[in-house]
Amino acid sequence: MSIAAEPPIDPNRPSTARIADVFLGGTHNFASDRAVAARAIELLPEVPAIARANRAFLRRAVRYAAGRGIRQFLDLGSGIPSANRVHEAARDVAPDARVLYVDIDPTAVLYARHQLESDPGAAAVHGDLLRPAALLDEPEVQDLLDLDQPLAVLLSGVLHFLPDGPDLDAALAAYREAVAPGSVLAISHVTPSDHADLTERFTALYNRTETPLTPREPDEVARFFAGWRLVEPGLVYCPEWRPDPDDEPVSDPARFVTLGGVGER
Ligand SMILES: C[S@@+](CC[C@H](N)C(=O)[O-])C[C@H]1O[C@@H](n2cnc3c(N)ncnc32)[C@H](O)[C@@H]1O
């Protein structure tokens, strides 16, 4: 199924999803993606560690939601998960968890569909998260998700690729209004504070691709949780969000430049 017209995969145009796959040590990428990733790592050797910390935050947020009784997950801008896949993390806690992956990048959707072929509790669709009405109305989405029951909406590492504007505000409001009480919103987002030098280098690199980066100050990221109650410890650097007991302590979490938070309603 495709909610938006699905463009062909172009191996010569670097894609955000495939570049992230390189950082995570995945194999679903092309030379054009590896060239951008190599340049990124040259400029900012921390990038693979930042990508891993982001996925680890996502895994902990998913397990938190599943622990709260949530059995359905809507992963918006899901990418090419080479590590800490959402359906696996959720099912560690709740084996009956259902997951809908959505991405605007056809490579991400293709790979996810291939992985989920024989999984009746998970699906991947091509779509634009900025068009929530079209997305939530699709029969395949309605078959998998029950909006009368609590849902976890996951926006991991994606909002910083979307510019400010009425489309973004309206989309976030639409997801908030669509979900039942007891639902959860998890967001991770690049921020410029504390280590502005790191984010400037990161931003300059992405600004040369088709997906410029919009790092946001913590208060701007917090604004995305309007209408949700942030759970403890609030909006913090990803490694600081409810670390697992056996996670290695991180001496300078701000070097991870990505904030993570979870809200409930
Ligand atoms: C850096 S990746 C993050 C992937 C994954 N969520 C994670 O945390 O590892 C960002 C993803 O968002 C997707 N994306 C960007 N804009 C989108 C949009 N408007 N709708 C859906 N997906 C989008 C990109 O294609 C890419 O796969």
Side-chain angles (χ1 to χ4, degrees):
M1 182 201 75
S2 179
I3 290 156
E6 201 165 331
I9 292 170
D10 183 349
N12 297 313
R13 289 164 69 159
S15 100
T16 311
R18 298 193 309 251
I19 295 168
D21 183 59
V22 180
F23 295 149
L24 289 169
T27 54
H28 297 82
N29 47 71
F30 299 112
S32 64
D33 311 304
R34 292 191 287 276
V36 176
R39 181 83 187 114
I41 292 168
E42 210 177 284
L43 281 175
L44 188 58
E46 293 87 345
V47 170
I50 292 170
R52 285 195 300 274
N54 176 60
R55 291 298 305 179
F57 158 77
L58 179 62
R59 181 198 66 222
R60 297 194 303 276
V62 164
R63 291 169 62 101
Y64 171 84
R68 304 278 299 172
I70 290 181
R71 295 294 176 264
Q72 40 180 7
F73 295 80
L74 176 61
D75 188 359
L76 299 168
S78 46
I80 306 174
S82 306
N84 289 322
R85 285 178 267 264
V86 167
H87 62 286
E88 291 165 350
R91 289 175 187 165
D92 280 349
V93 179
D96 55 341
R98 304 186 304 285
V99 180
L100 185 78
Y101 293 100
V102 179
D103 205 286
I104 205 163
D105 184 318
T107 318
V109 179
L110 184 77
Y111 173 57
R113 279 185 188 144
H114 177 68
Q115 277 214 324
L116 301 169
E117 234 162 25
S118 55
D119 188 333
V125 300
H126 178 256
D128 183 350
L129 74 88
L130 293 175
R131 298 180 58 212
L135 183 62
L136 296 174
D137 275 356
E138 279 297 322
E140 192 177 347
V141 177
Q142 296 201 343
D143 281 352
L144 194 65
L145 303 180
D146 176 358
L147 293 180
D148 292 330
Q149 297 299 318
L151 171 78
V153 179
L154 311 174
L155 287 162
S156 166
V158 59
L159 293 182
H160 46 234
F161 292 113
L162 302 175
D164 286 322
D167 286 357
L168 179 54
D169 293 342
L172 291 171
Y175 293 115
R176 185 180 64 230
E177 294 314 315
V179 299
S183 292
V184 157
L185 171 70
I187 293 177
S188 62
H189 197 296
V190 170
T191 188
S193 56
D194 293 346
H195 282 293
D197 55 324
L198 289 185
T199 34
E200 269 165 31
R201 281 185 273 160
F202 213 70
T203 307
L205 184 86
Y206 272 94
N207 285 352
R208 279 184 249 141
T209 73
E210 288 185 0
T211 48
L213 194 67
T214 305
R216 292 184 173 93
E217 295 289 344
D219 61 334
E220 296 173 290
V221 180
R223 194 175 54 83
F224 294 143
F225 286 97
W228 301 80
R229 292 178 307 278
L230 266 175
V231 304
E232 288 296 321
L235 189 60
V236 292
Y237 289 103
C238 281
E240 298 175 303
W241 197 89
R242 299 184 182 231
D244 287 335
D246 51 356
D247 281 352
E248 277 197 26
V250 168
S251 59
D252 184 4
R255 286 194 76 76
F256 289 85
V257 303
T258 306
L259 297 170
V262 171
E264 289 177 339
R265 73 182 308 253

mmCIF file of all heavy atoms in Angstrom, residues 223-254:
data_model
loop_
_atom_site.group_PDB
_atom_site.id
_atom_site.type_symbol
_atom_site.label_atom_id
_atom_site.label_comp_id
_atom_site.label_asym_id
_atom_site.label_seq_id
_atom_site.Cartn_x
_atom_site.Cartn_y
_atom_site.Cartn_z
ATOM 1 N N ARG A 223 7.786 21.884 23.253
ATOM 2 C CA ARG A 223 6.513 22.382 22.702
ATOM 3 C C ARG A 223 5.786 21.275 21.905
ATOM 4 O O ARG A 223 4.561 21.258 21.824
ATOM 5 C CB ARG A 223 6.832 23.576 21.786
ATOM 6 C CG ARG A 223 5.668 24.432 21.388
ATOM 7 C CD ARG A 223 6.160 25.643 20.587
ATOM 8 N NE ARG A 223 6.985 25.300 19.430
ATOM 9 C CZ ARG A 223 6.504 24.950 18.235
ATOM 10 N NH1 ARG A 223 5.211 24.879 18.037
ATOM 11 N NH2 ARG A 223 7.331 24.661 17.243
ATOM 12 N N PHE A 224 6.546 20.330 21.344
ATOM 13 C CA PHE A 224 5.911 19.239 20.588
ATOM 14 C C PHE A 224 5.089 18.315 21.498
ATOM 15 O O PHE A 224 4.310 17.505 21.021
ATOM 16 C CB PHE A 224 6.958 18.410 19.828
ATOM 17 C CG PHE A 224 7.655 19.175 18.725
ATOM 18 C CD1 PHE A 224 9.007 18.963 18.461
ATOM 19 C CD2 PHE A 224 6.974 20.091 17.943
ATOM 20 C CE1 PHE A 224 9.643 19.656 17.446
ATOM 21 C CE2 PHE A 224 7.600 20.795 16.919
ATOM 22 C CZ PHE A 224 8.947 20.576 16.670
ATOM 23 N N PHE A 225 5.315 18.438 22.815
ATOM 24 C CA PHE A 225 4.557 17.606 23.756
ATOM 25 C C PHE A 225 3.318 18.334 24.281
ATOM 26 O O PHE A 225 2.726 17.892 25.269
ATOM 27 C CB PHE A 225 5.449 17.190 24.934
ATOM 28 C CG PHE A 225 6.472 16.136 24.586
ATOM 29 C CD1 PHE A 225 7.783 16.483 24.273
ATOM 30 C CD2 PHE A 225 6.124 14.790 24.553
ATOM 31 C CE1 PHE A 225 8.721 15.522 23.950
ATOM 32 C CE2 PHE A 225 7.060 13.810 24.234
ATOM 33 C CZ PHE A 225 8.365 14.180 23.929
ATOM 34 N N ALA A 226 2.944 19.449 23.655
ATOM 35 C CA ALA A 226 1.753 20.187 24.115
ATOM 36 C C ALA A 226 0.558 19.232 24.150
ATOM 37 O O ALA A 226 0.308 18.495 23.179
ATOM 38 C CB ALA A 226 1.473 21.352 23.171
ATOM 39 N N GLY A 227 -0.159 19.217 25.260
ATOM 40 C CA GLY A 227 -1.325 18.332 25.388
ATOM 41 C C GLY A 227 -0.952 16.952 25.919
ATOM 42 O O GLY A 227 -1.825 16.096 26.081
ATOM 43 N N TRP A 228 0.343 16.710 26.166
ATOM 44 C CA TRP A 228 0.814 15.441 26.739
ATOM 45 C C TRP A 228 1.509 15.762 28.065
ATOM 46 O O TRP A 228 2.088 16.829 28.204
ATOM 47 C CB TRP A 228 1.838 14.758 25.811
ATOM 48 C CG TRP A 228 1.333 14.434 24.435
ATOM 49 C CD1 TRP A 228 1.227 15.295 23.383
ATOM 50 C CD2 TRP A 228 0.888 13.160 23.959
ATOM 51 N NE1 TRP A 228 0.744 14.638 22.276
ATOM 52 C CE2 TRP A 228 0.524 13.325 22.601
ATOM 53 C CE3 TRP A 228 0.761 11.902 24.540
ATOM 54 C CZ2 TRP A 228 0.035 12.281 21.818
ATOM 55 C CZ3 TRP A 228 0.281 10.857 23.755
ATOM 56 C CH2 TRP A 228 -0.078 11.049 22.414
ATOM 57 N N ARG A 229 1.500 14.840 29.016
ATOM 58 C CA ARG A 229 2.260 15.014 30.268
ATOM 59 C C ARG A 229 3.595 14.297 30.118
ATOM 60 O O ARG A 229 3.623 13.072 29.908
ATOM 61 C CB ARG A 229 1.524 14.355 31.455
ATOM 62 C CG ARG A 229 0.227 15.013 31.858
ATOM 63 C CD ARG A 229 -0.412 14.230 33.013
ATOM 64 N NE ARG A 229 -0.573 12.792 32.726
ATOM 65 C CZ ARG A 229 -1.577 12.267 32.024
ATOM 66 N NH1 ARG A 229 -2.524 13.049 31.530
ATOM 67 N NH2 ARG A 229 -1.644 10.952 31.816
ATOM 68 N N LEU A 230 4.702 15.072 30.213
ATOM 69 C CA LEU A 230 6.028 14.437 30.099
ATOM 70 C C LEU A 230 6.273 13.552 31.326
ATOM 71 O O LEU A 230 6.090 14.014 32.461
ATOM 72 C CB LEU A 230 7.107 15.515 30.050
ATOM 73 C CG LEU A 230 7.573 15.987 28.676
ATOM 74 C CD1 LEU A 230 8.554 17.144 28.825
ATOM 75 C CD2 LEU A 230 8.192 14.866 27.866
ATOM 76 N N VAL A 231 6.664 12.323 31.103
ATOM 77 C CA VAL A 231 6.944 11.446 32.252
ATOM 78 C C VAL A 231 8.391 11.660 32.683
ATOM 79 O O VAL A 231 9.221 12.155 31.923
ATOM 80 C CB VAL A 231 6.688 9.944 31.921
ATOM 81 C CG1 VAL A 231 5.256 9.755 31.434
ATOM 82 C CG2 VAL A 231 7.686 9.410 30.908
ATOM 83 N N GLU A 232 8.707 11.281 33.916
ATOM 84 C CA GLU A 232 10.081 11.400 34.429
ATOM 85 C C GLU A 232 11.035 10.597 33.562
ATOM 86 O O GLU A 232 10.650 9.523 33.101
ATOM 87 C CB GLU A 232 10.143 10.872 35.876
ATOM 88 C CG GLU A 232 9.467 11.788 36.879
ATOM 89 C CD GLU A 232 10.166 13.141 36.982
ATOM 90 O OE1 GLU A 232 11.405 13.175 36.935
ATOM 91 O OE2 GLU A 232 9.461 14.158 37.089
ATOM 92 N N PRO A 233 12.239 11.069 33.297
ATOM 93 C CA PRO A 233 12.871 12.285 33.826
ATOM 94 C C PRO A 233 12.651 13.512 32.945
ATOM 95 O O PRO A 233 13.442 14.449 33.040
ATOM 96 C CB PRO A 233 14.345 11.896 33.833
ATOM 97 C CG PRO A 233 14.493 11.022 32.616
ATOM 98 C CD PRO A 233 13.196 10.260 32.506
ATOM 99 N N GLY A 234 11.599 13.548 32.153
ATOM 100 C CA GLY A 234 11.346 14.696 31.282
ATOM 101 C C GLY A 234 12.139 14.600 29.989
ATOM 102 O O GLY A 234 12.475 13.499 29.533
ATOM 103 N N LEU A 235 12.433 15.753 29.422
ATOM 104 C CA LEU A 235 13.160 15.806 28.147
ATOM 105 C C LEU A 235 14.652 15.934 28.471
ATOM 106 O O LEU A 235 15.080 16.957 29.002
ATOM 107 C CB LEU A 235 12.650 17.018 27.360
ATOM 108 C CG LEU A 235 13.110 17.157 25.919
ATOM 109 C CD1 LEU A 235 12.677 15.969 25.070
ATOM 110 C CD2 LEU A 235 12.548 18.455 25.327
ATOM 111 N N VAL A 236 15.410 14.902 28.155
ATOM 112 C CA VAL A 236 16.832 14.840 28.549
ATOM 113 C C VAL A 236 17.634 14.287 27.377
ATOM 114 O O VAL A 236 17.059 13.828 26.380
ATOM 115 C CB VAL A 236 17.011 13.916 29.783
ATOM 116 C CG1 VAL A 236 16.373 14.528 31.028
ATOM 117 C CG2 VAL A 236 16.419 12.522 29.518
ATOM 118 N N TYR A 237 18.952 14.318 27.481
ATOM 119 C CA TYR A 237 19.753 13.679 26.429
ATOM 120 C C TYR A 237 19.453 12.176 26.437
ATOM 121 O O TYR A 237 19.266 11.574 27.509
ATOM 122 C CB TYR A 237 21.238 13.968 26.644
ATOM 123 C CG TYR A 237 21.549 15.411 26.335
ATOM 124 C CD1 TYR A 237 21.737 16.337 27.347
ATOM 125 C CD2 TYR A 237 21.576 15.856 25.013
ATOM 126 C CE1 TYR A 237 21.970 17.681 27.045
ATOM 127 C CE2 TYR A 237 21.802 17.195 24.711
ATOM 128 C CZ TYR A 237 21.994 18.091 25.729
ATOM 129 O OH TYR A 237 22.195 19.417 25.423
ATOM 130 N N CYS A 238 19.416 11.614 25.238
ATOM 131 C CA CYS A 238 18.933 10.225 25.112
ATOM 132 C C CYS A 238 19.543 9.242 26.119
ATOM 133 O O CYS A 238 18.799 8.462 26.719
ATOM 134 C CB CYS A 238 19.161 9.727 23.680
ATOM 135 S SG CYS A 238 17.894 10.344 22.561
ATOM 136 N N PRO A 239 20.878 9.277 26.343
ATOM 137 C CA PRO A 239 21.415 8.275 27.272
ATOM 138 C C PRO A 239 20.895 8.449 28.696
ATOM 139 O O PRO A 239 21.005 7.529 29.512
ATOM 140 C CB PRO A 239 22.937 8.517 27.225
ATOM 141 C CG PRO A 239 23.178 9.288 25.980
ATOM 142 C CD PRO A 239 21.942 10.093 25.714
ATOM 143 N N GLU A 240 20.329 9.636 28.995
ATOM 144 C CA GLU A 240 19.864 9.900 30.363
ATOM 145 C C GLU A 240 18.421 9.466 30.586
ATOM 146 O O GLU A 240 17.929 9.529 31.708
ATOM 147 C CB GLU A 240 19.945 11.406 30.665
ATOM 148 C CG GLU A 240 21.338 11.979 30.609
ATOM 149 C CD GLU A 240 21.328 13.483 30.806
ATOM 150 O OE1 GLU A 240 20.638 14.194 30.038
ATOM 151 O OE2 GLU A 240 22.004 13.959 31.723
ATOM 152 N N TRP A 241 17.721 9.082 29.502
ATOM 153 C CA TRP A 241 16.300 8.737 29.660
ATOM 154 C C TRP A 241 16.173 7.274 30.131
ATOM 155 O O TRP A 241 16.349 6.352 29.337
ATOM 156 C CB TRP A 241 15.521 8.950 28.347
ATOM 157 C CG TRP A 241 14.030 8.999 28.615
ATOM 158 C CD1 TRP A 241 13.294 10.102 28.919
ATOM 159 C CD2 TRP A 241 13.138 7.880 28.661
ATOM 160 N NE1 TRP A 241 11.987 9.737 29.153
ATOM 161 C CE2 TRP A 241 11.865 8.385 29.006
ATOM 162 C CE3 TRP A 241 13.278 6.515 28.457
ATOM 163 C CZ2 TRP A 241 10.744 7.563 29.136
ATOM 164 C CZ3 TRP A 241 12.172 5.692 28.598
ATOM 165 C CH2 TRP A 241 10.911 6.232 28.927
ATOM 166 N N ARG A 242 15.907 7.127 31.420
ATOM 167 C CA ARG A 242 15.692 5.801 32.025
ATOM 168 C C ARG A 242 16.688 4.748 31.511
ATOM 169 O O ARG A 242 16.266 3.725 30.909
ATOM 170 C CB ARG A 242 14.259 5.319 31.768
ATOM 171 C CG ARG A 242 13.233 6.260 32.390
ATOM 172 C CD ARG A 242 11.832 5.742 32.225
ATOM 173 N NE ARG A 242 10.898 6.720 32.800
ATOM 174 C CZ ARG A 242 9.943 6.445 33.682
ATOM 175 N NH1 ARG A 242 9.750 5.215 34.061
ATOM 176 N NH2 ARG A 242 9.159 7.382 34.148
ATOM 177 N N PRO A 243 17.998 4.980 31.720
ATOM 178 C CA PRO A 243 18.978 3.992 31.240
ATOM 179 C C PRO A 243 18.723 2.627 31.882
ATOM 180 O O PRO A 243 18.242 2.552 33.010
ATOM 181 C CB PRO A 243 20.323 4.574 31.682
ATOM 182 C CG PRO A 243 19.993 5.595 32.722
ATOM 183 C CD PRO A 243 18.608 6.085 32.465
ATOM 184 N N ASP A 244 19.017 1.578 31.139
ATOM 185 C CA ASP A 244 18.919 0.234 31.711
ATOM 186 C C ASP A 244 20.017 0.077 32.753
ATOM 187 O O ASP A 244 21.093 0.679 32.614
ATOM 188 C CB ASP A 244 19.080 -0.826 30.606
ATOM 189 C CG ASP A 244 17.837 -0.901 29.727
ATOM 190 O OD1 ASP A 244 16.747 -0.526 30.210
ATOM 191 O OD2 ASP A 244 17.964 -1.311 28.554
ATOM 192 N N PRO A 245 19.779 -0.764 33.769
ATOM 193 C CA PRO A 245 20.765 -0.899 34.843
ATOM 194 C C PRO A 245 22.147 -1.302 34.334
ATOM 195 O O PRO A 245 23.160 -0.888 34.881
ATOM 196 C CB PRO A 245 20.184 -1.996 35.732
ATOM 197 C CG PRO A 245 18.735 -2.098 35.347
ATOM 198 C CD PRO A 245 18.582 -1.563 33.966
ATOM 199 N N ASP A 246 22.199 -2.105 33.248
ATOM 200 C CA ASP A 246 23.532 -2.534 32.801
ATOM 201 C C ASP A 246 24.105 -1.633 31.693
ATOM 202 O O ASP A 246 25.142 -1.939 31.117
ATOM 203 C CB ASP A 246 23.511 -4.008 32.365
ATOM 204 C CG ASP A 246 22.396 -4.290 31.379
ATOM 205 O OD1 ASP A 246 21.611 -3.349 31.107
ATOM 206 O OD2 ASP A 246 22.314 -5.434 30.887
ATOM 207 N N ASP A 247 23.445 -0.488 31.399
ATOM 208 C CA ASP A 247 24.008 0.452 30.429
ATOM 209 C C ASP A 247 25.255 1.094 31.024
ATOM 210 O O ASP A 247 25.271 1.434 32.207
ATOM 211 C CB ASP A 247 23.000 1.572 30.101
ATOM 212 C CG ASP A 247 21.951 1.104 29.119
ATOM 213 O OD1 ASP A 247 22.100 -0.012 28.582
ATOM 214 O OD2 ASP A 247 20.962 1.837 28.904
ATOM 215 N N GLU A 248 26.253 1.283 30.169
ATOM 216 C CA GLU A 248 27.473 1.938 30.654
ATOM 217 C C GLU A 248 27.179 3.387 30.998
ATOM 218 O O GLU A 248 26.507 4.075 30.216
ATOM 219 C CB GLU A 248 28.543 1.901 29.568
ATOM 220 C CG GLU A 248 29.275 0.595 29.555
ATOM 221 C CD GLU A 248 30.576 0.685 28.788
ATOM 222 O OE1 GLU A 248 31.139 1.788 28.700
ATOM 223 O OE2 GLU A 248 30.983 -0.352 28.278
ATOM 224 N N PRO A 249 27.671 3.884 32.146
ATOM 225 C CA PRO A 249 27.444 5.296 32.480
ATOM 226 C C PRO A 249 28.090 6.192 31.417
ATOM 227 O O PRO A 249 29.132 5.861 30.870
ATOM 228 C CB PRO A 249 28.127 5.475 33.836
ATOM 229 C CG PRO A 249 28.606 4.141 34.251
ATOM 230 C CD PRO A 249 28.473 3.173 33.132
ATOM 231 N N VAL A 250 27.417 7.304 31.110
ATOM 232 C CA VAL A 250 27.906 8.225 30.089
ATOM 233 C C VAL A 250 28.390 9.476 30.801
ATOM 234 O O VAL A 250 27.653 10.083 31.575
ATOM 235 C CB VAL A 250 26.749 8.549 29.116
ATOM 236 C CG1 VAL A 250 27.102 9.705 28.220
ATOM 237 C CG2 VAL A 250 26.392 7.316 28.309
ATOM 238 N N SER A 251 29.651 9.869 30.554
ATOM 239 C CA SER A 251 30.204 10.994 31.328
ATOM 240 C C SER A 251 29.698 12.347 30.818
ATOM 241 O O SER A 251 29.522 13.266 31.595
ATOM 242 C CB SER A 251 31.728 10.943 31.301
ATOM 243 O OG SER A 251 32.156 11.015 29.966
ATOM 244 N N ASP A 252 29.465 12.478 29.513
ATOM 245 C CA ASP A 252 29.026 13.770 28.980
ATOM 246 C C ASP A 252 27.845 13.542 28.041
ATOM 247 O O ASP A 252 27.997 13.532 26.815
ATOM 248 C CB ASP A 252 30.194 14.428 28.236
ATOM 249 C CG ASP A 252 29.840 15.816 27.731
ATOM 250 O OD1 ASP A 252 28.716 16.293 28.023
ATOM 251 O OD2 ASP A 252 30.673 16.421 27.048
ATOM 252 N N PRO A 253 26.637 13.354 28.608
ATOM 253 C CA PRO A 253 25.468 13.010 27.766
ATOM 254 C C PRO A 253 25.184 14.054 26.695
ATOM 255 O O PRO A 253 24.679 13.727 25.626
ATOM 256 C CB PRO A 253 24.315 12.945 28.763
ATOM 257 C CG PRO A 253 24.905 12.950 30.111
ATOM 258 C CD PRO A 253 26.298 13.452 30.022
ATOM 259 N N ALA A 254 25.559 15.324 26.962
ATOM 260 C CA ALA A 254 25.258 16.384 25.994
ATOM 261 C C ALA A 254 25.979 16.161 24.665
ATOM 262 O O ALA A 254 25.561 16.678 23.628
ATOM 263 C CB ALA A 254 25.635 17.741 26.576
#
